[in-house]
Amino acid sequence: MTGLKSSADVLFLMLGAAMVFAMHAGFAFLEVGTVRKKNQVNAFVKILTDWAVSTVVYFLIGFPISYGISFLKPASDLMGPNQGYDLVHYFFLLCFAACIPAIISGGIAERAKFWPQVIAGAIFAGLCYPLFESLIWGQNASMLQGFFKSLGGAEFHDYAGSVVVHSIGGWIALPAVLILAPRMGRYVRGKSHPIPVSNIPFLALGSWILAVGWFGFNVMSAGNLEKISGLVAVNSLLAMVGGILAALVAGRNDPGFVHNGALAGLIAVCAGSDIMHPLASLVVGMIASLIFVYGFHLEQEVLKIDDVLGVWPLHGVIGSWGGITAGIFGQKALGGMGGVSFVSQLAGSLSAILFALASGFIVYGILNKTVGIRLSEDEEFAGADLSIHSIGAYPEEHVR
């Protein structure tokens, strides 16, 4: 029976890992559908390359930093008595770590150099993200979580990564976007000139893939079969639907807002999906969607920050909202399971913002001063596809 349980847990987490791995195709299609045709190949190659590099650095450096488990031992020891559970646990959590460069990719699209971004992604997935992960979920959690408990009476609660994954990724992206500066022609003499998306079906496909994979992201965060929660599944569903409906109204039927609204709801519910009431999750998703619709406008048109996919409001701000809202709607008085503190949730969310901003400004600041992170004007005008990969998304168009 013990062996059967171990095998079931390995299979459970392996299925979750496959679902979250598939989400990276969603990141790719969401970006490909948003950027111009001359930058579509770059989006595909960039996200796949970031995934591959993240796999290696998180295996060798990141996972040992986070959980104190090294895989530099014989294969027989890696299997151990639990059917290699640590290995598939690494695979599952790798999918979270690799989200960081995938999130950043959407913000810096169309004007970033290829290899400097690969280097930055490796640093974030192999070092920066694991350091914060270790303080919330991993081997060093007693340090920071002890502080939060003394401050608010409960540890910081982030069941599936609203803060640890999404907020960190979105707030790291902000320094990159600011240092890169806007794309050519995006703002001229202080006036905004929006650049239209290239492919609504690809954008929609990316959103759908992400939404389906998200149920692996959230539900399989239980870690093993006996802890699976139907509450997490339904909370994720209703938060996603709340995000869609709110974006439909606030975004005036705009397909970009509707499809990103689904993601806004899912990002916000990650932290408290195991403790909130389903109706509270619906409200959380609706508010998250409104944050994105109006936050995107504020970012692009008022602050004039050229964040191509709006990853700062979508992942950064809404990820922080998700962390804070677990401390509100997780309370028993509002139908939640309890055991959370608003003060601790606020403190944890703010600590992630500070950590991410510091990491982003340091890494991108150094890369910008040394190797440079932006394409030349000629390369940007020609497009990243031809400038970096020497081929366009539709090669027959270049045949003479």
Side-chain angles (χ1 to χ4, degrees):
M1 290 300 295
T2 301
L4 185 61
K5 180 185 181 302
S6 295
S7 298
D9 288 341
V10 168
L11 178 61
F12 173 77
L13 209 53
M14 180 63 211
L15 292 173
M19 291 178 72
V20 186
F21 176 33
M23 290 174 67
H24 290 265
F27 281 119
F29 276 100
L30 193 71
E31 182 173 335
V32 168
T34 305
V35 299
R36 287 167 288 185
K37 286 171 61 177
K38 63 182 181 180
N39 297 297
Q40 291 180 333
V41 170
N42 180 244
F44 278 129
V45 176
K46 185 171 46 171
I47 288 178
L48 188 61
T49 302
D50 283 337
W51 165 264
V53 172
S54 296
T55 299
V56 176
V57 297
Y58 193 69
F59 183 87
L60 295 174
I61 304 170
F63 193 77
I65 288 175
S66 295
Y67 300 97
I69 298 172
S70 173
F71 297 122
L72 301 180
K73 58 184 72 171
S76 58
D77 293 342
L78 296 179
M79 277 293 289
N82 58 4
Q83 302 298 108
Y85 179 84
D86 287 338
L87 288 169
V88 78
H89 192 212
Y90 146 77
F91 184 9
F92 181 72
L93 291 172
L94 156 68
C95 298
F96 284 45
C99 285
I100 305 300
I103 290 168
I104 297 168
S105 176
I108 64 174
E110 301 203 314
R111 76 271 204 201
K113 288 183 177 180
F114 183 78
W115 286 110
Q117 174 52 25
V118 171
I119 294 170
I123 295 171
F124 295 133
L127 183 61
C128 298
Y129 170 80
L131 282 173
F132 193 78
E133 181 185 24
S134 75
L135 295 170
I136 304 298
W137 292 338
Q139 63 173 334
N140 299 315
S142 60
M143 297 165 51
L144 192 57
Q145 290 286 23
F147 169 73
F148 293 141
K149 189 171 184 178
S150 66
L151 187 67
E155 293 185 348
F156 176 68
H157 186 87
D158 189 8
Y159 183 73
S162 288
V163 173
V164 176
V165 180
H166 296 284
S167 177
I168 290 290
W171 284 96
I172 285 178
L174 179 59
V177 171
L178 293 175
I179 291 171
L180 272 170
R183 291 166 289 175
M184 292 191 303
R186 179 63 182 87
Y187 303 104
V188 180
R189 299 185 186 92
K191 292 189 64 176
S192 174
H193 296 269
I195 298 173
V197 301
S198 63
N199 193 311
I200 294 295
F202 275 1
L203 186 156
L205 176 62
S207 175
W208 273 104
I209 294 172
L210 283 164
V212 172
W214 223 291
F215 289 88
F217 196 98
N218 285 3
V219 176
M220 268 67 166
S221 286
N224 54 61
L225 196 57
E226 65 183 14
K227 293 181 181 178
I228 192 169
S229 167
L231 183 63
V232 173
V234 173
N235 279 341
S236 302
L237 176 65
L238 286 181
M240 177 186 71
V241 169
I244 293 169
L245 296 176
L248 187 66
V249 176
R252 300 180 181 179
N253 300 331
D254 182 278
F257 282 133
V258 171
H259 286 91
N260 278 289
L263 307 183
L266 286 163
I267 290 167
V269 82
C270 288
S273 57
D274 63 325
I275 57 173
M276 294 190 295
H277 189 279
L279 291 177
S281 296
L282 181 71
V283 173
V284 166
M286 293 176 74
I287 296 173
S289 191
L290 296 177
I291 291 173
F292 177 69
V293 171
Y294 296 112
F296 185 80
H297 175 79
L298 175 68
E299 178 190 43
Q300 301 281 329
E301 305 303 326
V302 179
L303 300 178
K304 292 184 171 54
I305 298 174
D306 188 19
D307 173 3
V308 180
L309 268 66
V311 300
W312 173 45
L314 181 61
H315 295 273
V317 178
I318 292 173
S320 301
W321 160 245
I324 294 168
T325 199
I328 301 172
F329 293 100
Q331 303 289 344
K332 288 187 176 181
L334 293 175
M337 300 284 286
V340 288
S341 159
F342 173 77
V343 173
S344 297
Q345 294 304 117
L346 178 62
S349 300
L350 291 176
S351 69
I353 293 173
L354 294 175
F355 179 85
L357 286 175
S359 300
F361 276 114
I362 291 171
V363 172
Y364 284 109
I366 292 173
L367 287 172
N368 188 48
K369 294 293 185 182
T370 53
V371 296
I373 60 174
R374 179 153 183 164
L375 296 173
S376 69
E377 289 190 1
D378 288 343
E379 290 171 331
E380 185 179 342
F381 181 79
D385 292 359
L386 295 179
S387 298
I388 297 173
H389 309 285
S390 301
I391 192 169
Y394 307 92
E396 70 276 12
E397 292 183 0
H398 302 287
V399 176
R400 295 292 187 268

